[in-house]
Structures are given as structure tokens and as C-alpha cells.
Amino acid sequence: MTGVLSYAVSRLQMLSTSDHSSIVSMNLFVALLLACIVIGHLLEENRWMNESITALIIGVCTGIVILLISGGKSSHLLVFSEDLFFIYLLPPIIFNAGFQVKKKQFFVNFITIVLFGAVGTLISCTIIALGATQFFKKLDIGTLDVGDYLAIGAIFAATDSVCTLQVLNQDETPLLYSLVFGEGVVNDATSVVLFNAIQNFDLTRINSQIAFKFIGNFLYLFATSTLLGVFTGLLSAYIIKKLYFGRHSTDREVALMMLMAYLSYMLAELFYLSGILTVFFCGIVMSHYTWHNVTESSRITTKHTFATLSFVAEIFIFLYVGMDALDIEKWRYVSDSPGTSVAVSSILLALVLIGRAAFIFPLSFLSNLAKKNPHKKISLREQVIIWWAGLMRGAVSMALAYNQFTRAGHTQLRANAIMITSTITVVLVSTVVFGLMTKPLIRFLLPHPKHTTSMTISDPSSPKSFLTPLLETGLDSEADLGLGGHEHDVPRPNSIRALLTTPTRSVHRYWRKFDDAFMRPVFGGRGFVPFVPGSPTERSAPPAQWE
Amino acid sequence: MTGVLSYAVSRLQMLSTSDHSSIVSMNLFVALLLACIVIGHLLEENRWMNESITALIIGVCTGIVILLISGGKSSHLLVFSEDLFFIYLLPPIIFNAGFQVKKKQFFVNFITIVLFGAVGTLISCTIIALGATQFFKKLDIGTLDVGDYLAIGAIFAATDSVCTLQVLNQDETPLLYSLVFGEGVVNDATSVVLFNAIQNFDLTRINSQIAFKFIGNFLYLFATSTLLGVFTGLLSAYIIKKLYFGRHSTDREVALMMLMAYLSYMLAELFYLSGILTVFFCGIVMSHYTWHNVTESSRITTKHTFATLSFVAEIFIFLYVGMDALDIEKWRYVSDSPGTSVAVSSILLALVLIGRAAFIFPLSFLSNLAKKNPHKKISLREQVIIWWAGLMRGAVSMALAYNQFTRAGHTQLRANAIMITSTITVVLVSTVVFGLMTKPLIRFLLPHPKHTTSMTISDPSSPKSFLTPLLETGLDSEADLGLGGHEHDVPRPNSIRALLTTPTRSVHRYWRKFDDAFMRPVFGGRGFVPFVPGSPTERSAPPAQWE
């Protein structure tokens, strides 16, 4: 009868997925996610809070409760894994950002964005690494080698795109959003190149040849990552247009778009490219072509599904970071010398502030020099906001710090423990303090944002609202998503008209001609999908509109 | 400089998620999923094929290719994990089934479904276990104890709900679908009770007391699982109605519905209940209340997102099962005596056929006895289809077999290897052969399905089509999802009218009164959401309809 018993036990274990404590954790985590959504909704009217801070605070509170219940043993439910973060949570967030980004705004500021993301990150990284080398030697924190200092530079130079999405609003401040968020995306490509360079070149003697190689490497990586994203996006558009899935099933279309988007990210990782850059451009191409080839139901579904997945992933990250911050293991070494830890954290925060200021203001000045139209220049007030809004360090910094300072082989436990706790402190302080102050700062510096476009802001208090009635939503997105669109038919406020009279207009016109003549007939897009009687595809874009 | 180098290497490794081969696997797997969707679409016109068989065949072909490339070492990309299956893939499939099920059809046949799922599974399990004990002793397959034989009974008595969804069509044969699928859902509760019973009672001396305890246990588990599902469903309806998320964000509503559905499954697992039963009833309640409290965009999004997730999970399962079938490790022991393996597989297939026949026909007879109306009785032809459509064994059987015959502690390797390969053979043969023959069998036995309801079948060749224009889809679903609906206002064909004249009608009427008087005012539902000017919520359900 023991066989029966052992079978029964094993069956029960299997039903409880081999480990009942993991079920408990998952239940608690899902319940906390729900709590974050409900509380975040209730606090939406509050001008200081945002969802990420709510999640972070709930995470810290839960961590305290778990710490008390477990008798000071552990404070987190799930083990923080880089795989979880880079493979499952980050791609939907970046893809959705590309899918919903105002493409015109993004491409008009393209040069400034690349300047900030590539040159700016290098400047910031150098300043932080040098500053840390200088100051940490005077503190008693154990031995750190050159690699560790470079790593500190990289960890704290990375602008967190996820945080940007939370504090800046695309509808209210489109210029600032596109600059800071775009910088975060390009920054990822920079860091891949940076570490390739560290691996391949001897950085102790930098000469012009190495600098050229470095620039060449960056351009190669940027181009290939972008092309891969564009290619997968176009492929999805072509498949859906040719096979015309809409005739049969919305589910297939949605599944195809989701899987293709994910494939683009994974392919980039496969070829050691920048997955973030790839999936971002894949999102842009999909919203310009693929999205117009599917049925009305598929459009609504994909738009909201991508947004929801991104939303849940963001909350998940902040909740986790908050919960993990209290992990007792890391604080054990620090408790002996709390002064050192505070000093290290303060130095790092100061370096982050200085490092970012050191490139935002000079590069903005350079960018303004190239612009003739005064309306397009980045004002000092906007520069301050760009500087401030990119200060937050989030889950990307955490993941990098864990990778550098907890991996096997590193035996200087004291220095590592201090670096981990300092990273947590910087992440918490920057997200909560800087994050809380961003919204009021924007309201203080830009009481009437001058760059508001004509995009319908149905209700300024609910920026993420999609509540506009169905067909209107369709038309809205059409206008928004039409990169080569026909916005000049529609009356626009002054700032946009001014924008269109600048030289970028001619580039834009050539692109539109090319798009209409070659791209759209092949890959579909607004108004280029064959009309099928009874098909809802044509509803939000009647042919009369583009004739 | 080694520090920099090691940092660079570790950073690159992190970017490639600590293990580049897992990135390769994931790329291939996502690409295969895409191939299954495209090929499944192209083969849709084919009357024999369905998506699961396509995925299974593609899986087997890929397995062969990987086997050849790796030089006979391995044939699969991912390690089959019960967690992956029971925690991530199964819940969306079952929830979606509950969300889209025709509730009236399901509740009208409730008693028959429970009879099949509870009593039927017991009969089938007993016959297969006894038969295996009898026949396997004569074959030289090593030692199996009582627990193993009971396990064999359980493994092969489980009707696979996932397979049922693939071969039966809710619109064409609603009665058969609700009976076979419902049986699969109830069957899960039965197996939990069965193993609880094996663990707690001495089954060698069965008396009336133990039988009563067993029945009591089953009723308790059935009731608690159902109530938990209903409770979480109602809670989601209440939260969304009270906070009225629609005013702010579709994303929040969709996220809340998804997370609540998942929470119901995880809570059931936490309390050792039947997660499948819970999430199924949660889906039913959500479609009846919650779904009507959200915005039009949220409705379209949730409907298609749940369907898409379920669709991808199904393909994933079949693709994986196909790929895993060729794993060389398992076939090594069997290659010595191929005759034994064929004999074991044939015996099991025969026992599955007999075990299912042994309860379908007697229980259908019993069920028919209780019905006065000849239109409601299950005809012999329908009984044959019910028998045949439930014969497929799929991923659930695989997961159970792996759990029983590969766990540590079992050392009789030969018997275990034979049981694993036999399970794979039974799964492949039953899915491909029985699956391929189900559609033609239905067409042969029921050329003009008498139970077709008035639900609009826009295009019979594309059963899963959602292509009906937007508002029409809305109204369709309204009619479908209205459990306490007002179908008697609409002219119906004879079979439905006959259905309504039976005693179940009075139960139905009482439920509707209760629903209108108490439930809907509290939890929302069709026509009970407060009208907000400009809100799209009321569009597909004008108040005039329920006044």
C-alpha cells in the first residue's frame, strides 16, 4: 500500500506544482499586483503619486510584513532573476512604447535623441566612473578593481525607460517625452557597444583609430538592430496582408503580431544586438503597416493588450524592486558601518546628478545651434525637466548591479554588499524623491505646455485614458500612427505648423512619397488594404480620405 | 585588465540571459509557433486537419530534424515541466472555455455532465486499472505495484478538455460540446477526490461508510471549488462596478480581469481544490457580470485576448508533445523488445475504448430515462460521437505519466520506460487517428445537426471566426452570454423552444428573477451598469431591451 500512498502524495505534490510555498508566493504576488492597480486608480487624482511609486511603496510595506512574519529571515517572495526581467518583463514595455509612440515627434528629434543616447551616456558613464574611483578610495569599503568602477559608471549612467514612461506624458509634453524616452532606448545600444569595446580594445591607450573603430561599431550595431526590427515588422505586415488572416480569425492576427514582436527581440539577443532597439523599431513599423492590415477588432485588441501587458510588467518590476530592497542578507554587512553606506549612496546620487547635467546642457546647446526656428529650440526650462526626468534609476540598474556584484568568483564580500545596498538606496531615493517631484516640477516650469499637439486630449486628468468612443479612437490612432500621414489637411496649432515649415519637412515629404509609391502597396497600411465587402477594415479610414 | 574583461564577459552573458543555447531554443520555438499558426490557417479549408494535429506533426518533424542535427542526442528544445503546463498553459485554456461557453446549454445538461465527469471517470478508471493489472502480468515488462496500476487507470481515464475544444465545435454541435467538454472539467475534480481517497482510506475493504465519505468528499470539493470561482468572478464584477474603472482606463480593467482570473486558479491550487473547476466557473461569472461592466474597448479586448492566449497555449502544448515524443532517452530501453511496447500500447488503447464505452452508453441511457421530452434525449448516434470525441488523450496524460514514471525513487527503469513510451504512443495515436476521424464521423452521423441553435453561424468553414461586424458581434455575445437572458423574446427554432418547455424552464425562470432582483443591481451585468453620457458601455445594450 506504500506505492499507492507515495503515488497519492506525488500526485498531490504535482497538483501543488511540486512546491506549495511557490504557490503561496504567486498568490500573494498576484494579489499585490491587484492591490497596486486598485490603489493606483484611487490615487490617480493625486498630483504627486504615480503607479510606480505606489507599487514601490506597497512592495516595501509587504517586504516589512514578510520580514516580521519570517522572523527576519527573508523579505521577498520571488528570487530576482535577470532572465525574468530581460526576457519577459522588459520586451513588452519597450515594444508597447514603440507601438504607441508619436512617430513624427520621434523622428523630428531623431538627431538630438541619438546625441543624448550615445554621446551623453558616454559622458555620464565616464564622469560617474572617474568620480567613484576618486571618492571611494578615501572610504573604507574594501577593494574594487577597474572593472567594478567601469561597471558602476554603466549601472548609474543608464536612463531607465520604464521610469520615464511613468513620469512623462506623451500627450502633455510630447517633445520632452520623445527626447527622454528615446534617449533611454538608444542608450541600450550604447551600453552594448561600450562593453564590446571594453572587451575588444585596450582602453588604456585611446587613439584616433580606436575611436573610429568604436564609432564604427556603434553605427553597425545601431543599423543592424534597427534593420532587424524594421524587417520583422514588415514581415508581419506582409504575411497578414498576403494571407489576409482577418477573413478568418482575429485570434490568429493578434497571436501573430504578439509572437512576431517577441521574435524580433529574441532574434536580436540571439545575434548579440540591442534587443531594446530592435523591438522598439519593430513596434513602430507594426503600428505603421501591420496594424492597418488587420480587422477592427484586432486593432482594438492589440492596442489595449500591448498597453495592458506593458502596464502589468511595469507594476511588477516596481513591486518587486520595493520588496527586494529589504532583503536582510544584503544589509548584514552594512549594519556594521551605516555611515559608509550613507556616504557611498550620497556620492553616487550626487554623481548621477552631475553626470546627467554634464551632457544635457552642453548637448542641448549644440542641438539648439543647429536649429534656425526658435520654436523648435529646447528652452532652458525644458532642459531642466529633461535633466530631472532622466535621473531616476530603476530595475535596469538593479539587474546590472546584481549581475556585477553577486556573481560567483567575487570574494570581496564587504565591497559587494555595500555596492548592492547603495544601488538599492539610489534606486529607492531617485524613484520616490525625484519621481514624486517630476510632475510638480513640470507643472511649475511649464504651466501651459507649448508643445501640446492637436491630438485630442479628452480628459487631461486621465492621461492614459482610452475612453474616447470607439470610432473616434480609431480615427485618433490613425492620425497619431500615420507617420507619413496627412496631418496638413487638418488645421493645426501654430507650433506644429511651424514644425512643418522647417527643413525636416522636405525629408518628411520624400519619405511620404516613397511610402505611398512603394511601401504601402506591398506592406499595406492606412487605406492600402483591399476593400472587402462587409469587412470592418475600411471603417475608420474611408478611401475618400486619402484620395 | 582581467576585471574589465570578466565584467564585459558577464555583461554579455547577461544580455544573452546567462545561457545562449536557451535563447536559440526560444527563437526556434517562437518561430515554430508562428509556422503552426500560418500553416494551420492555410490548412483550415481541409476537412480532416485541425490546428492541434498540425502542431503535433510539425513538432514531430522538428524533433526528427533536431535528432539528426544533434547526432541522436536530444530531440527537444525545452524540458517538459509540469509547472509550465499546470501553472501557465492550462489556466488560460480552461478560463477561456468558461468565458466563451454557451451557458444555457451547459446548465441545461448539468446533471448529465456531472454524471459523466464523476461516475463515468470512476468506472473508466476502474476498468482500465483492472484491465492493465490483468493483461500486463502476462507480458514481461518488469514490476509495477498497485499504485502504478491505479495511476495507469487515472492517466488514461482523464478526458483531455484541450483536445475536445479542438475537435468539437460549440456552434455546430452545442449539446455534444457541452457534454464532452463539461465532462473534462468535472473529471478534474473527480481525480483530486480520487487521490485524496486513495491517500486517506483503505480501499481494499470498501464499505458503505467509505463510499459515503467518498461522495461527501467529492461534493465538498465540487462545491468549494465552484464557490471560489463564483466568488472571485463576483468580486471582480463588484470592484469594477464600484470603482468604475472604465472612466479612466481600459488597461486597468483588462489587467484586473486577467489577474483576477489567474488569482482564482492559484487560490484553488493553494487550498488543494480543483483549479480547473474554479477557473472555469470564474470565467462563466466574469462573462455574465464583469464583462458587462467594462467599456466597449475592454469587452472586445478581453474577448479576443483570452481567446488568443488560449489558442497559443493549445498550439504550444501540442507542438511540445510532438517534439518530446521522439526523445531518444525513453526509447532506448524499448528498442530491445519492440513487440512488448506495441502490445502494451495496443492493450491501453483497447482499454481506453472499452472504459469509455462502459460508461457513456449506460449513463446516457439513465440520463434519457429521466427526460420526458424525446427531443432532449441523447440519440444513439450522438452517444457514439460523445464516446469517440472523448477518446483523445493529450498533455494531461503526458504530464501525469511523467510525474508517476520518471520521479526519483523508482528504480524499475524498464517498466517505467515502457510505460512512458506507451503513453506517448497512446497520445500520438489517439490524437492523430481519433482526432482526424472525429470531424468526418460527425459529418457522417449528423449530416444536419439537429441541435443547431439560432446563434448566427456566419461562416461554417471558419468556426472560430469573429469577423462579424463590430456591433453585431457585440449583440451576438450579449445573446450568448446572457445566462438569465431574454431569449424567449426572440423567435427560436423548435428544439430550443422545446427545451424551454421542460421543467428546467422553471428553475431558469427563478434564477432569472433572482438575478434581476438581487445579483445584477449589485454586480452589474447586461443593462445594469449606470448610464454615463458619452460612455460607450450602453451601446450594445440599450435600456429599452430589458425594460
Side-chain angles (χ1 to χ4, degrees):
Chain A
M1 220 50 209
T2 50
V4 181
L5 265 172
S6 74
Y7 174 71
V9 170
S10 82
R11 160 77 193 182
L12 277 173
Q13 276 176 346
M14 193 209 60
L15 279 174
S16 54
T17 32
S18 327
D19 185 7
H20 202 255
S21 68
S22 78
I23 296 274
V24 177
S25 306
M26 287 189 76
N27 269 297
L28 201 51
F29 213 92
V30 174
L32 285 174
L33 283 175
L34 282 166
C36 289
I37 294 173
V38 172
I39 294 169
H41 167 79
L42 294 174
L43 290 176
E44 198 170 41
E45 307 298 314
N46 190 304
R47 56 186 294 183
W48 297 78
M49 297 297 278
N50 63 44
E51 227 113 29
S52 60
I53 297 175
T54 312
L56 208 56
I57 292 168
I58 291 179
V60 171
C61 295
T62 319
I64 294 171
V65 172
I66 299 172
L67 203 63
L68 292 175
I69 291 172
S70 71
K73 264 194 204 159
S74 160
S75 79
H76 48 143
L77 298 167
L78 303 165
V79 178
F80 189 89
S81 115
E82 286 144 19
D83 283 17
L84 179 72
F85 179 70
F86 282 106
I87 297 289
Y88 301 109
L89 298 175
L90 202 54
I93 296 174
I94 306 297
F95 175 79
N96 182 57
F99 199 73
Q100 320 260 0
V101 81
K102 292 192 193 303
K103 286 185 281 293
K104 183 173 258 166
Q105 195 60 249
F106 182 80
F107 284 106
V108 162
N109 299 304
F110 194 65
I111 295 161
T112 315
I113 288 168
V114 173
L115 212 61
F116 281 3
V119 183
T121 306
L122 273 182
I123 295 173
S124 178
C125 179
T126 313
I127 289 175
I128 294 170
L130 288 177
T133 320
Q134 209 62 27
F135 290 110
F136 286 3
K137 273 175 188 159
K138 291 165 193 164
L139 296 165
D140 170 37
I141 57 157
T143 34
L144 290 169
D145 58 24
V146 187
D148 289 327
Y149 285 115
L150 276 174
I152 290 168
I155 289 166
F156 294 103
T159 306
D160 196 328
S161 319
V162 184
C163 294
T164 314
L165 292 172
Q166 290 276 337
V167 294
L168 288 180
N169 184 269
Q170 185 165 218
D171 294 309
E172 285 167 11
T173 50
L175 173 71
L176 301 178
Y177 175 90
S178 67
L179 284 178
V180 181
F181 178 74
E183 180 205 324
V185 170
V186 175
N187 162 58
D188 182 70
T190 317
S191 59
V192 176
V193 178
L194 196 63
F195 291 114
N196 267 322
I198 294 169
Q199 195 178 26
N200 296 323
F201 309 123
D202 183 2
L203 285 187
T204 45
R205 2 171 238 109
I206 294 171
N207 56 31
S208 62
Q209 206 195 339
I210 285 175
F212 271 117
K213 263 194 180 172
F214 186 85
I215 293 167
N217 246 352
F218 173 79
L219 290 178
Y220 167 78
L221 201 84
F222 191 92
T224 44
S225 300
T226 307
L227 282 178
L228 181 64
V230 171
F231 173 75
T232 40
L234 288 178
L235 186 66
S236 75
Y238 188 77
I239 290 175
I240 287 181
K241 184 162 177 272
K242 272 292 143 186
L243 296 179
Y244 205 61
F245 280 85
R247 200 179 51 213
H248 288 274
S249 162
T250 290
D251 304 344
R252 281 212 187 86
E253 292 175 343
V254 177
L256 203 94
M257 281 176 79
M258 278 179 159
L259 289 171
M260 284 296 268
Y262 194 63
L263 186 67
S264 78
Y265 185 86
M266 294 309 288
L267 278 175
E269 295 287 296
L270 182 69
F271 298 127
Y272 299 103
L273 303 175
S274 162
I276 289 181
L277 210 58
T278 304
V279 82
F280 180 76
F281 276 96
C282 181
I284 289 180
V285 171
M286 275 203 181
S287 74
H288 188 57
Y289 297 108
T290 320
W291 198 69
H292 294 276
N293 297 351
V294 299
T295 60
E296 181 77 34
S297 321
S298 298
R299 278 186 220 173
I300 297 168
T301 305
T302 46
K303 184 176 176 180
H304 292 294
T305 305
F306 294 146
T308 305
L309 288 178
S310 165
F311 172 68
V312 173
E314 280 173 35
I315 297 179
F316 191 103
I317 288 171
F318 285 102
L319 188 62
Y320 187 78
V321 167
M323 215 179 281
D324 195 64
L326 286 168
D327 190 24
I328 203 76
E329 191 78 18
K330 297 154 200 153
W331 295 97
R332 199 159 287 160
Y333 287 92
V334 183
S335 55
D336 309 334
S337 51
T340 316
S341 185
V342 171
V344 170
S345 306
S346 312
I347 290 168
L348 284 173
L349 274 171
L351 286 173
V352 165
L353 284 161
I354 296 163
R356 190 164 175 81
F359 78 85
I360 290 292
F361 298 105
L363 292 180
S364 297
F365 178 74
L366 273 181
S367 169
N368 283 344
L369 277 188
K371 287 170 188 166
K372 286 163 195 164
N373 191 320
H375 284 284
K376 268 192 78 183
K377 293 193 178 182
I378 307 165
S379 73
L380 190 66
R381 290 177 167 208
E382 286 171 330
Q383 290 176 27
V384 172
I385 294 173
I386 293 170
W387 169 65
W388 190 263
L391 283 175
M392 277 158 289
R393 299 294 170 261
V396 172
S397 299
M398 290 277 279
L400 286 169
Y402 274 113
N403 185 267
Q404 174 69 7
F405 296 108
T406 60
R407 72 202 149 95
H410 260 241
T411 44
Q412 313 99 313
L413 279 168
R414 183 137 193 286
N416 287 353
I418 287 175
M419 285 319 302
I420 291 279
T421 51
S422 303
T423 309
I424 292 170
T425 313
V426 171
V427 166
L428 286 183
V429 171
S430 68
T431 306
V432 175
V433 178
F434 299 167
L436 277 177
M437 287 171 69
T438 308
K439 272 190 193 177
L441 185 79
I442 293 171
R443 246 166 255 191
F444 174 71
L445 288 177
L446 297 175
H448 302 291
K450 70 168 187 178
H451 282 274
T452 302
T453 69
S454 72
M455 307 304 152
T456 4
I457 302 167
S458 52
D459 178 10
S461 75
S462 64
K464 289 189 172 180
S465 170
F466 283 110
L467 193 73
T468 38
L470 212 60
L471 288 177
E472 214 184 287
T473 309
L475 284 166
D476 249 23
S477 325
E478 291 290 327
D480 175 17
L481 293 165
L483 167 65
H486 310 263
E487 286 86 347
H488 55 281
D489 302 339
V490 188
R492 295 264 152 174
N494 274 330
S495 61
I496 292 293
R497 213 174 278 154
L499 235 136
L500 286 171
T501 52
T502 55
T504 44
R505 192 187 174 172
S506 53
V507 177
H508 191 243
R509 198 192 288 142
Y510 282 122
W511 159 249
R512 207 168 62 218
K513 273 189 182 171
F514 175 71
D515 195 29
D516 284 350
F518 297 101
M519 300 297 276
R520 290 189 190 207
V522 179
F523 298 108
R526 185 153 61 118
F528 270 84
V529 179
F531 182 75
V532 177
S535 150
T537 331
E538 291 296 306
R539 281 173 96 192
S540 56
Q545 211 180 323
W546 54 271
E547 261 167 22
Chain B
M1 220 51 208
T2 49
V4 181
L5 264 173
S6 76
Y7 174 70
V9 170
S10 83
R11 159 78 193 181
L12 278 173
Q13 275 176 348
M14 194 209 61
L15 280 174
S16 55
T17 31
S18 327
D19 185 6
H20 202 255
S21 68
S22 78
I23 296 274
V24 177
S25 305
M26 287 188 76
N27 267 298
L28 201 52
F29 214 92
V30 174
L32 284 174
L33 282 176
L34 281 165
C36 288
I37 294 173
V38 172
I39 294 169
H41 167 77
L42 294 174
L43 289 175
E44 198 170 40
E45 307 297 314
N46 190 305
R47 59 184 292 182
W48 295 78
M49 296 298 279
N50 62 47
E51 227 114 27
S52 60
I53 296 175
T54 312
L56 207 57
I57 292 168
I58 290 177
V60 171
C61 295
T62 319
I64 293 171
V65 172
I66 299 172
L67 202 64
L68 292 175
I69 291 171
S70 72
K73 265 194 204 158
S74 161
S75 79
H76 49 140
L77 297 168
L78 304 165
V79 177
F80 189 88
S81 111
E82 286 145 20
D83 283 17
L84 179 73
F85 179 70
F86 282 106
I87 297 290
Y88 301 109
L89 297 176
L90 202 54
I93 296 174
I94 306 297
F95 174 79
N96 182 57
F99 199 74
Q100 320 261 359
V101 81
K102 290 191 192 308
K103 287 186 280 292
K104 183 173 256 168
Q105 193 62 247
F106 182 80
F107 284 106
V108 162
N109 299 303
F110 195 65
I111 295 162
T112 315
I113 288 168
V114 174
L115 210 60
F116 280 4
V119 184
T121 307
L122 273 182
I123 295 174
S124 178
C125 178
T126 314
I127 287 175
I128 294 169
L130 288 178
T133 320
Q134 209 63 25
F135 289 111
F136 288 2
K137 272 175 189 160
K138 290 164 192 164
L139 296 163
D140 170 38
I141 55 157
T143 34
L144 291 169
D145 58 25
V146 187
D148 290 327
Y149 284 115
L150 277 174
I152 291 168
I155 289 165
F156 294 103
T159 306
D160 196 328
S161 317
V162 184
C163 295
T164 312
L165 292 172
Q166 290 276 338
V167 293
L168 288 181
N169 183 271
Q170 185 166 217
D171 294 309
E172 284 168 10
T173 50
L175 173 71
L176 301 178
Y177 175 91
S178 67
L179 284 178
V180 182
F181 178 74
E183 179 205 323
V185 171
V186 174
N187 161 59
D188 182 69
T190 316
S191 58
V192 177
V193 177
L194 196 64
F195 292 113
N196 268 322
I198 293 170
Q199 195 178 27
N200 297 323
F201 309 123
D202 183 1
L203 286 188
T204 46
R205 354 170 245 109
I206 295 170
N207 55 31
S208 61
Q209 207 196 337
I210 286 175
F212 271 115
K213 263 194 180 169
F214 185 86
I215 293 167
N217 247 351
F218 172 80
L219 290 178
Y220 166 79
L221 201 85
F222 190 91
T224 44
S225 301
T226 307
L227 282 177
L228 181 63
V230 171
F231 172 76
T232 38
L234 288 178
L235 187 65
S236 74
Y238 188 77
I239 290 174
I240 287 180
K241 185 164 176 267
K242 273 291 144 186
L243 297 179
Y244 204 59
F245 280 85
R247 199 178 52 214
H248 289 272
S249 163
T250 290
D251 304 343
R252 281 213 186 86
E253 292 174 344
V254 176
L256 202 94
M257 281 176 80
M258 277 179 160
L259 289 171
M260 283 297 269
Y262 195 62
L263 187 67
S264 78
Y265 185 86
M266 294 308 288
L267 279 175
E269 295 288 298
L270 183 69
F271 298 127
Y272 299 102
L273 303 176
S274 162
I276 289 180
L277 209 58
T278 303
V279 82
F280 180 76
F281 276 96
C282 182
I284 288 180
V285 171
M286 276 203 181
S287 75
H288 188 56
Y289 297 108
T290 321
W291 197 70
H292 294 275
N293 298 351
V294 299
T295 61
E296 182 78 33
S297 320
S298 298
R299 278 185 222 173
I300 297 167
T301 306
T302 46
K303 184 176 175 179
H304 291 295
T305 306
F306 294 146
T308 305
L309 288 177
S310 164
F311 172 69
V312 173
E314 279 174 36
I315 297 180
F316 191 103
I317 289 173
F318 284 101
L319 188 61
Y320 187 78
V321 167
M323 215 178 279
D324 195 64
L326 285 167
D327 190 23
I328 203 76
E329 192 78 18
K330 297 154 200 155
W331 295 96
R332 200 159 285 160
Y333 287 92
V334 183
S335 54
D336 309 334
S337 50
T340 316
S341 185
V342 170
V344 169
S345 306
S346 311
I347 290 168
L348 285 172
L349 275 171
L351 285 173
V352 166
L353 284 161
I354 296 163
R356 189 162 176 83
F359 77 85
I360 289 293
F361 297 105
L363 292 180
S364 297
F365 178 74
L366 275 180
S367 168
N368 282 344
L369 276 187
K371 288 168 187 166
K372 285 164 195 163
N373 190 318
H375 286 284
K376 268 191 77 185
K377 294 194 179 182
I378 308 165
S379 72
L380 190 65
R381 288 175 167 209
E382 287 170 331
Q383 290 176 29
V384 172
I385 295 172
I386 293 169
W387 168 65
W388 190 264
L391 282 176
M392 278 159 289
R393 299 294 171 263
V396 173
S397 300
M398 291 277 278
L400 287 169
Y402 275 112
N403 185 268
Q404 175 68 6
F405 296 109
T406 60
R407 70 202 150 95
H410 260 240
T411 44
Q412 314 98 312
L413 280 168
R414 182 139 193 283
N416 287 354
I418 288 175
M419 284 319 301
I420 293 278
T421 50
S422 302
T423 309
I424 292 169
T425 313
V426 170
V427 166
L428 285 183
V429 170
S430 67
T431 307
V432 176
V433 177
F434 298 167
L436 277 177
M437 287 172 70
T438 308
K439 273 190 193 176
L441 186 79
I442 293 171
R443 246 166 252 192
F444 174 71
L445 287 177
L446 297 176
H448 303 290
K450 70 167 187 178
H451 282 273
T452 302
T453 69
S454 71
M455 308 303 153
T456 5
I457 303 167
S458 51
D459 178 9
S461 76
S462 63
K464 288 188 173 181
S465 168
F466 282 111
L467 192 73
T468 38
L470 214 60
L471 289 176
E472 214 183 289
T473 309
L475 285 167
D476 251 22
S477 325
E478 291 290 328
D480 175 15
L481 292 166
L483 167 64
H486 309 265
E487 285 85 349
H488 55 282
D489 302 340
V490 188
R492 296 264 152 173
N494 274 329
S495 61
I496 293 293
R497 209 173 281 156
L499 236 136
L500 286 170
T501 53
T502 55
T504 45
R505 191 187 175 173
S506 54
V507 177
H508 191 242
R509 197 190 290 144
Y510 283 122
W511 158 249
R512 207 168 61 219
K513 274 189 179 169
F514 175 73
D515 195 30
D516 284 350
F518 298 100
M519 299 298 277
R520 292 191 189 206
V522 178
F523 299 107
R526 183 152 65 115
F528 270 84
V529 180
F531 182 76
V532 178
S535 149
T537 332
E538 292 296 305
R539 281 173 96 190
S540 58
Q545 211 180 323
W546 55 269
E547 261 165 24

